[in-house]
Each structure stands twice: as C-alpha cells, then as structure tokens.
Amino acid sequence: ETTFTPEADSGTVDVTFGFNASDLAGKTVVAFESVTREGEEVAAHKDLHYEGQTLRFPKLETRAAEKESGSQKITADGEITIVDRVTYQNLIPGETYTIKGILMDKGTGSPLLIGEKTFAPEKETGTAEVEFTFQAGSLQNTETVVFEKLYIGGAELAAHEDIRDEGQTVRINMAETPGEETPK
C-alpha cells in the first residue's frame, strides 16, 4: 500500500511488495492495483493476463552424477566429469538464462570448481546441464555437492544450495561399505 498526493493529473507512483518468495518457487503471480480516494475506489487494474504485471518465480531441481557411469559414487584416479542435470520450471521461452554451479567440498563447505551454462529454453519447463571436469585423484575420499544459481541479465532468479541434498552429492573414492560394490 502507498499513500500519495498527486502533483499533476497524471504520473506514476511506486508500490513496493516485501515478502519471502521462497514459497513461490515454480509459481506465477500477477499484481493488481486499486486506487481509492476517501475510501471509495476511483480506478483499478486487475488483469490476470497482463504480462507487464506478471512475475514468474522459477524452480530448480537437480541431480549430480559422474558423466560416464551416471553414478553418484565413483572410484577413479584420472580425469572425471560430474554433470549436474538441472530441471527448471516457470522460465520464459526464448529468454537467455545462465546457470552458475559451484562444486563444493561437503566436508569443509569450500568451493572446488565453478561451472556455467547459458541457454534459451524452448519451453517453460525443461533441463540444462552444467559440467565440472577435474582430476579425481586430487579428491580422495571426498563428498562433493553442487550448488546452483539461475540468472537472467545478471539478476539472480533462483538458487538451490543445500549441502545435505543427496541428489546433488557425488562421492569420490570413498571407502566401500561391506557388501557394497562401487561402480568404476
């Protein structure tokens, strides 16, 4: 809500909405306005299909795995590539987006590598992949987790950063549990 006294018979006024948007991931909202004077409505703009007042809140879901095997638990000593498959919802087809990923060391919480993918989706919902290539031997007995952020024109739209997310976790050269076989 904004209260104002106009200086001319036409002009603009800003109405600011402050809220936690985390519960709106994957949803679309439209702003409606109503101007009142002395308690009576004198003008209104309420159009669910008006793009100029529509806000889309993207949603990201991910799964990270080794590129060759598709496994989240790998034994390797040479170069490997972890692919983070990002499923997105509620993007604008034809717009250019960038996903920036950070491969994190789960034990220390420190960043290991950064990956990036720029794309223009054909549909509101789809997938994009971010790759991280490195020498596996340097990460002996390491759990890695991929964090992602989605951007448009430099503005951050969505993030998925959960150090405990098993879907984003890849274990490298971890000791085997008795009775469990590690893919190569």
Side-chain angles (χ1 to χ4, degrees):
E1 185 174 304
T2 298
T3 301
F4 66 100
T5 302
E7 296 178 11
D9 62 354
S10 63
T12 62
V13 65
D14 291 333
V15 179
T16 303
F17 298 86
F19 57 95
N20 180 345
S22 61
D23 291 334
L24 296 175
K27 295 184 171 50
T28 301
V29 299
V30 180
F32 286 5
E33 302 89 19
S34 174
V35 178
T36 58
R37 183 171 182 251
E38 297 176 3
E40 289 193 42
E41 186 174 82
V42 294
H45 188 243
K46 301 174 183 177
D47 181 354
L48 274 176
H49 304 289
Y50 186 64
E51 283 296 318
Q53 292 175 212
T54 300
L55 292 173
R56 298 172 188 268
F57 293 89
K59 181 177 182 179
L60 304 178
E61 295 176 356
T62 69
R63 183 177 189 286
E66 198 273 327
K67 185 175 185 174
E68 295 288 320
S69 67
S71 177
Q72 289 184 288
K73 186 172 182 182
I74 57 173
T75 299
D77 58 7
E79 184 175 271
I80 64 167
T81 299
I82 292 177
V83 176
D84 188 32
R85 183 178 174 97
V86 180
T87 301
Y88 55 83
Q89 296 176 13
N90 212 15
L91 300 189
I92 301 170
E95 291 289 332
T96 302
Y97 295 88
T98 300
I99 296 174
K100 292 184 180 180
I102 301 174
L103 185 65
M104 304 290 290
D105 181 319
K106 188 173 184 174
T108 66
S110 301
L112 298 170
L113 285 172
I114 296 174
E116 188 172 302
K117 173 76 173 194
T118 299
F119 66 103
E122 294 180 14
K123 297 179 181 178
E124 288 182 9
T125 302
T127 60
E129 293 182 348
V130 180
E131 294 188 358
F132 304 88
T133 301
F134 56 94
Q135 291 296 320
S138 65
L139 296 177
Q140 186 71 19
N141 297 317
T142 302
E143 286 184 290
T144 62
V145 179
V146 183
F147 288 177
E148 308 81 12
K149 290 186 179 185
L150 177 70
Y151 296 87
I152 188 168
E156 183 181 322
L157 297 178
H160 192 238
E161 299 175 315
D162 182 355
I163 200 79
R164 296 175 308 274
D165 187 335
E166 286 298 314
Q168 292 176 270
T169 301
V170 176
R171 290 163 179 82
I172 303 167
N173 296 333
M174 301 285 289
E176 291 185 30
T177 319
E180 183 180 23
E181 190 173 315
T182 304
K184 303 233 184 240

